[in-house]
Amino acid sequence: MIELLIEKLSNPISEIFLSGTCAFLGAYIAAYFGYKKSHDEALGAQVAERRVQLYDDLLNASFRIRLNRKKLFDDSYLTGLYCLTPRCRALAKEEVRTAYEDFFNYLITLRTEYATKDAELENQFYCHVPACDYYDTEDTEEVCIPQYPGAEREYDHQHQTLQESLLPNYKKLDEFLNGLSNAINSDLNRG
């Protein structure tokens, strides 16, 4: 008799429980996907805002060398460009990233060539000798002294000539910078 009573009561209870559970799961799934969609939209808007700021920073930093090509020899300028690289890799579209890396690699190639030739010039006009160790420590530094009278003046002249010969070409700079600005324009007008 008790079994019959339990069976009679369990059918309505199980139906109520099952319908309540289904309603709860349906509401949970709808809320989850609604939250996920709004979260993705908010994240997309935040990434788009950061991308626009990055593009502005890329253009500002890159075009400074067009106004003053001697920035190639300014370590802080190249460091600033280098510091933009991780943000560019993380946020920029592929075409923009490629255009920026091509521009940056062009400058690094020129700067590496300059460093190599400047070291050769320095070795040609200066001697590196150990400094006197008055305090009898193990640390010795090298001092550069001119190899002959007038070597400093000759080095300065050839150093200036070297810098002038390695200044970025305006035409080549324009190619890289126009490519970068066109890639940015294409990305921003696509959206």
Side-chain angles (χ1 to χ4, degrees):
M1 176 97 171
I2 294 180
E3 293 170 359
L4 185 62
L5 182 61
I6 291 175
E7 186 179 315
K8 290 284 184 187
L9 288 175
S10 68
N11 276 344
I13 292 175
S14 65
E15 288 177 17
I16 293 172
F17 179 73
L18 187 59
S19 66
T21 303
C22 288
F24 174 75
L25 284 176
Y28 177 78
I29 290 171
Y32 172 77
F33 284 115
Y35 170 77
K36 182 164 176 26
K37 182 179 177 186
S38 68
H39 178 266
D40 290 347
E41 288 172 355
L43 183 62
Q46 184 180 18
V47 167
E49 182 179 323
R50 291 186 70 201
R51 184 176 293 140
V52 169
Q53 180 62 45
L54 168 68
Y55 289 171
D56 189 42
D57 293 345
L58 288 177
L59 289 173
N60 285 336
S62 300
F63 273 86
R64 271 193 249 136
I65 198 164
R66 181 64 172 85
L67 300 174
N68 181 5
R69 296 180 303 154
K70 289 188 178 188
K71 286 216 173 274
L72 175 69
F73 309 111
D74 181 5
D75 290 336
S76 64
Y77 174 72
L78 289 178
T79 301
L81 288 177
Y82 180 72
C83 288
L84 289 172
T85 304
R87 285 178 51 208
C88 187
R89 286 185 182 146
L91 296 171
K93 295 288 186 175
E94 183 68 29
E95 302 85 30
V96 175
R97 184 174 38 251
T98 301
Y100 180 71
E101 288 175 353
D102 290 346
F103 165 71
F104 185 72
N105 289 335
Y106 169 66
L107 295 182
I108 293 301
T109 301
L110 289 176
R111 183 59 187 259
T112 303
E113 185 179 349
Y114 164 73
T116 303
K117 290 182 178 181
D118 188 46
E120 291 171 3
L121 272 180
E122 191 174 294
N123 287 335
Q124 182 180 348
F125 293 104
Y126 289 95
C127 292
H128 297 276
V129 294
C132 294
D133 190 7
Y134 294 112
Y135 300 108
D136 198 27
T137 63
E138 296 294 319
D139 298 332
T140 58
E141 295 181 21
E142 285 190 346
V143 178
C144 290
I145 58 170
Q147 288 190 5
Y148 55 87
E152 288 178 79
R153 187 173 41 255
E154 184 64 27
Y155 169 77
D156 288 341
H157 173 70
Q158 289 199 21
H159 182 258
Q160 188 69 23
T161 304
L162 174 64
Q163 281 188 343
E164 292 294 324
S165 70
L166 289 175
L167 285 175
N169 181 317
Y170 279 120
K171 185 176 180 182
K172 194 84 166 159
L173 275 177
D174 286 344
E175 285 178 27
F176 286 117
L177 296 174
N178 288 338
L180 177 62
S181 60
N182 289 340
I184 289 172
N185 185 36
S186 174
D187 180 31
L188 294 178
N189 288 330
R190 190 179 317 154

